[in-house]
Amino acid sequence: MSNEIIQLNASQDKAVKHENGQLIILAGPGSGKTRVIASKIAYLMIDKKIHPSKIFAATFTKKAANEMQNRVTQLVQKKPIGLNIGTFHSLCALLLRRHGSFINIDRNFTIYDSDDQRSLIKIIINEQNLNTQIYNPYKILNKISKNKNHNLVNDFIEEFQPSAYERKINEITHTYQSYLKKNNALDFDDLLIYTYQLLSHSEDVRKEICKQFEHVLIDEFQDTNTLQYEISKLLAAVHMNITVVGDPDQSIYSWRSAKIENINNFQRDYPQHKLVLLEQNYRSTKSILEVANNIIQPSPERIQKEIWTENKIGEPVSMHHFDQGEDEGEFIANTIKEETASKEISPKDIAVMYRTNAQSRIIEEALIVANIKYRIVGGLRFYERKEIKDLLAYLRIIQNENDTVAFIRIVNTPTRGIGKESLAKILLLAEQTGNTVIETIRKNIDENLDKGKNEPSWKIRATTLEGLVNFLFIYDELFANVKNDSISSLLNLIMKLTHYQSAVINKDAQTIEQQNAKKENINELLNIAQEYDEKNSDSPLTEFLHDLSLVADVADVIEDSDDVVTLTTLHSAKGLEFPIVFLPGVEEGLLPHVMALDTEAEIEEERRILYVGITRAKNKLYISTARNRFIAGSPRSAKPSRFLKILSDDTATTRATSAPSRNRNDFIAERKNLIFRKQQTDYTEGMKVQHDIFGTGLIVSIESRSEDQQLTIAFKEKGIKKILASHAPMEIIGQSDVN
């Protein structure tokens, strides 16, 4: 047995060595739950000789799944072949590709992400000539998802008909589901719905599937929804060995249909279960944990546990009350400067966590003025970028020609003269005939080009016809190579056939920097493709698209090597930890949020959100409030959160405002002046500069542009360019010799 498994504390060891039956592990923050789960898997494999393929371990993020996989590999000292570790959605997708034929699911199905779903809903709304102000695509998808997550996808249509609006929503839902079926596509909710249906199909089918899994382990159990819990029970129904790990004190995702009640339901459904509490914290100081315990203790009906640590006492939690929100921002920036001055603390060791995205504005302004680099967790992610979605859509359409959403995205990308009316006509003809969009295009091109025959049913304009011929040529070329070419080769072929660089990137990107960024994104996609090519899968394209469609986790965008301060919402902070954490805006109306004051359940979830934020801190914690601040552009007065009343001077050191109160206009002016000073790098006419891209040049003229300067520069090799000083990656190399 590995030394790491041996070096467990008593509670961890008890959890790891509980072999058979039902086990619930309530793990406080920083209690080593990932270590426990990985150790339990390793224990089953090494000591109990359980084959990896007989273990099913589900978690909620790709990052967490990868970490668990790596931990297990380290413990058993080799990569466990066949081990089923992944997110709920990825594991469900795997089960459906293996066994979906029992319920008529084609194993080559496409997985639709949120953008694909919205595109499909918009198609339906346009077809039915509905007012998007009334029938908002986002609201419709939320309604569909909510019902699916409550396992009502088959019967809610008939159950809920209180109004004409609801009946229309139900009609749209039926149409949406029929489109998915026609496109051989599943959305993320479908992955759960159909897995549940698969496991509920018949006892014989369930036994055939579930006899493989001798042990089922579910991480972050407090975040499971109804369907996920039901699937977990069905998977464990044969061998009855199920371990769930969670912390009801960290249940903060009810808006994602997470059910904190599942913890109580588990104890009810499995009356013979064993309960293990992991209360020893290895992350935070005693001072921080004391505040955390005081915050969470008043929560009614919670399962009592109290996290403790053998770590040092540490500095008292620092609580600050400011007059203005801008003061709070400046305090945070100044404190970060002080903390990093000694070089013992790096910017990457610091995080600012807030309840709403709108709160980041003040923090960002302060950090910009202080010249502190930062990143916001949850920005546009890699697979959401246009160039990536375009290229993947080309791969999707050759993998599954029923994929209408992918077709709509790329039929006129690059621009081919195929307008909205022509696109609508293609979709209508495909619907009427039951053919795919590819078959429809091919048939109508043949009819229009065969002039000796009858008049075509759809007379296509010359420009549109040329565009459709061009698209079909690209499709056929790609399809002809899909079986023999690697994924990276297919991507390069797409780039070549579509002239993507010149026709799309150069057209969409407004600056050289944006062009380079887009090219770097594509190169990264090629890197990913090449990694898949090395696997030599029997169906590499299906596998490639399957895995990429499941990539989603705001935490995945965080790279430890990036030495910048992290800004994040408290919801996105789950699972993270930092030596120093700032919690600004802990005020009534923000935390608890004004939209979460209707029920006690909502208020208690807000309490848990604060608890999650506090327990992200390892060494230092700063909590702050402001009596006055701007929220979404409007002034608002506030008072400290009700959750802070429980704290005494013994647990947290409270300070009045330590930053001068200033007029907001002065603050903004300071920010603009700083930017302007940076832009005014003493450029003068006749100055020689070295540009990172354009090379050596001579400044011909300088013009003022609001808070910027426009430089006209004559470059030796690239000619005359007009460049804003603020966007000029260049340095001064001297003065011209010409007078």
Side-chain angles (χ1 to χ4, degrees), residues 266-281:
F266 183 93
Q267 297 181 85
R268 179 202 65 204
D269 295 338
Y270 299 105
Q272 302 301 315
H273 75 276
K274 300 295 183 183
L275 171 65
V276 175
L277 300 179
L278 301 184
E279 297 173 292
Q280 184 175 358
N281 178 284

Side-chain angles (χ1 to χ4, degrees), residues 642-686:
R642 69 189 70 186
F643 303 139
L644 300 179
K645 293 179 180 178
I646 196 73
L647 302 182
S648 66
D649 292 338
D650 295 333
T651 58
T653 302
T654 303
R655 299 181 178 91
T657 180
S658 59
S661 179
R662 301 178 297 164
N663 183 278
R664 171 163 170 77
N665 292 329
D666 294 337
F667 185 87
I668 294 176
E670 183 178 343
R671 171 186 169 182
K672 290 181 176 180
N673 287 335
L674 177 77
I675 297 171
F676 191 57
R677 288 197 301 273
K678 289 182 177 180
Q679 296 163 356
Q680 299 265 4
T681 313
D682 297 326
Y683 293 125
T684 59
E685 294 179 3

